[in-house]
Amino acid sequence: MALVVMFQNVLAFLFVSTFLHKTLNYREHIRIMNAYHLVPARFIVPSFILFAAAELAIGLTLLLSGITLYHVVSIGSLLSIYTFAIGFNLMRGHRHIDCGCGGILENEQLSWGLVLRNLLLGFSVAGIWKSQSLYIVEIALIHKLELVMLSLILFSLLCLFKELFNIRKKLVRLMKMFI
């Protein structure tokens, strides 16, 4: 049960962090949304607001209530939209677009790996929700707080590894320039 709660918390931090990344860099994110060529220009900003609000709502409610059917449906819907947009652009040959995922999930270009990642994340959410419904156990508040802190540490480590990976990629590119 503790692993389920930790996964929920990491997922919540993931959605809150993508919301923060996108809103703090909203001009860049709107530029990325335009690059997908899927939404008419006049609907880009309202779409951005809608997606950002959904990510914030998902993240906060995951922290407050744990995973529910609402989360499975809303995360599944968001991931389906994002996965369709990525897959459609890949089929059109548009690989050199930032994915627009935000935060720890951000990638510099589209790939089928992003499609696979989104599918796995969606199935994981459904699996965690299903496994949570099998274990109806109340966790004491102090244990919930401990799990939140452990989840925050885990999420921070994921962010650190992502940054280290990005540094490595930049160093490899720099070395290739001199060779």
Side-chain angles (χ1 to χ4, degrees):
M1 183 63 181
L3 289 176
V4 170
V5 173
M6 284 183 62
F7 180 80
Q8 291 172 173
N9 293 337
V10 168
L11 199 58
F13 296 143
L14 180 76
F15 276 96
V16 170
S17 72
T18 58
F19 162 78
L20 289 172
H21 184 266
K22 289 175 182 180
T23 54
L24 292 173
N25 304 295
Y26 70 93
R27 285 189 178 110
E28 175 66 15
H29 190 71
I30 288 171
R31 185 195 62 74
I32 292 168
M33 288 177 72
N34 272 319
Y36 273 82
H37 298 293
L38 292 174
V39 177
R42 68 176 186 246
F43 295 120
I44 292 288
V45 172
S47 297
F48 168 77
I49 293 169
L50 180 69
F51 289 133
E55 289 174 355
L56 179 62
I58 289 168
L60 292 178
T61 57
L62 268 171
L63 280 174
L64 297 174
S65 67
I67 198 162
T68 64
L69 183 58
Y70 154 80
H71 295 104
V72 174
V73 171
S74 58
I75 292 170
S77 299
L78 271 180
L79 288 174
S80 295
I81 292 167
Y82 296 161
T83 303
F84 169 78
I86 292 168
F88 188 71
N89 273 280
L90 284 170
M91 288 190 299
R92 294 192 305 186
H94 299 166
R95 295 180 106 51
H96 300 290
I97 304 172
D98 286 357
C99 74
C101 305
I104 191 174
L105 297 178
E106 188 62 43
N107 281 290
E108 293 176 0
Q109 68 178 18
L110 302 182
S111 70
W112 289 107
L114 295 173
V115 171
L116 180 61
R117 179 197 68 192
N118 286 353
L119 291 173
L120 290 174
L121 188 57
F123 285 124
S124 297
V125 168
I128 291 296
W129 172 71
K130 190 65 177 168
S131 69
Q132 178 197 9
S133 64
L134 298 175
Y135 303 104
I136 310 292
V137 177
E138 187 62 33
I139 299 176
L141 180 61
I142 191 71
H143 295 303
K144 284 183 182 179
L145 292 174
E146 289 171 346
L147 290 172
V148 166
M149 293 308 295
L150 285 171
S151 302
L152 189 56
I153 291 168
L154 178 61
F155 184 75
S156 298
L157 287 171
L158 291 172
C159 291
L160 176 66
F161 287 131
K162 170 77 176 188
E163 287 305 311
L164 290 173
F165 181 73
N166 286 339
I167 291 169
R168 183 184 154 272
K169 281 184 1 185
K170 289 176 185 175
L171 285 173
V172 167
R173 272 191 238 138
L174 187 62
M175 288 173 27
K176 285 181 180 180
M177 287 175 45
F178 292 112
I179 296 176

